[in-house]
């Protein structure tokens, strides 16, 4: 499984790179804090897989990296090859990039 660090994600965002960020956390988690990713909860990831790009990188994130890894495993079985798991999820983002973001 391909992975990306929060530092690498921040660099992509700062450079304005063309990629898709998918947040697979639950609604209440996404409402508490998010970094602008498209919200598709893990339970609906296969149903909404048609919303994911196949021709550019897709970074998948959650709270800690476990649910996003599960989402990637499911999507790779559907033929996706352009997915990257955000190591440490929103917790790592808060710890390393933005200490003001609310985590739970």
């Amino acid at each position: 499984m391909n992975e990306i660090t929060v530092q690498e994600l921040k660099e992509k965002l700062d450079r304005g790179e063309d990629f898709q960020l998918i947040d697979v956390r639950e609604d209440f988690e996404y409402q508490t804090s998010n970094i602008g990713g498209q919200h598709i909860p893990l339970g609906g990831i296969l149903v909404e897989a048609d919303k994911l790009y196949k021709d550019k990188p897709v970074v998948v994130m959650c709270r800690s990296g476990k649910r996003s890894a599960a989402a990637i495993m499911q999507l790779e079985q559907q033929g996706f090859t352009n997915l990257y798991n955000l190591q440490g999820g929103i917790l790592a983002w808060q710890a390393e990039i933005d200490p003001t973001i609310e985590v739970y």
Side-chain angles (χ1 to χ4, degrees):
M1 179 179 306
N2 295 320
E3 293 196 303
I4 185 172
T5 67
V6 291
Q7 298 291 345
E8 291 167 326
L9 176 59
K10 179 154 183 357
E11 290 168 12
K12 282 181 168 299
L13 291 167
D14 289 348
R15 288 193 299 264
E17 286 187 25
D18 190 15
F19 72 98
Q20 185 178 31
L21 179 61
I22 300 294
D23 191 324
V24 298
R25 296 175 300 148
E26 295 300 319
D27 289 339
F28 78 92
E29 295 174 289
Y30 187 81
Q31 297 303 322
T32 299
S33 59
N34 69 77
I35 57 173
Q38 184 176 350
H39 184 226
I40 303 176
L42 177 59
I45 198 72
L46 292 180
V47 173
E48 299 194 55
D50 61 330
K51 294 182 179 178
L52 276 63
Y53 296 134
K54 290 196 173 198
D55 59 348
K56 60 180 82 172
V58 176
V59 177
V60 185
M61 67 168 291
C62 64
R63 180 173 184 264
S64 67
K66 291 182 178 142
R67 280 179 283 174
S68 50
I72 288 173
M73 285 190 282
Q74 291 178 40
L75 291 164
E76 285 178 343
Q77 290 177 356
Q78 302 300 313
F80 283 87
T81 59
N82 58 327
L83 308 172
Y84 296 82
N85 187 32
L86 182 63
Q87 293 175 357
I90 195 90
L91 294 176
W93 185 269
Q94 190 262 353
E96 298 178 36
I97 306 296
D98 183 1
T100 66
I101 199 165
E102 188 176 340
V103 293
Y104 43 90

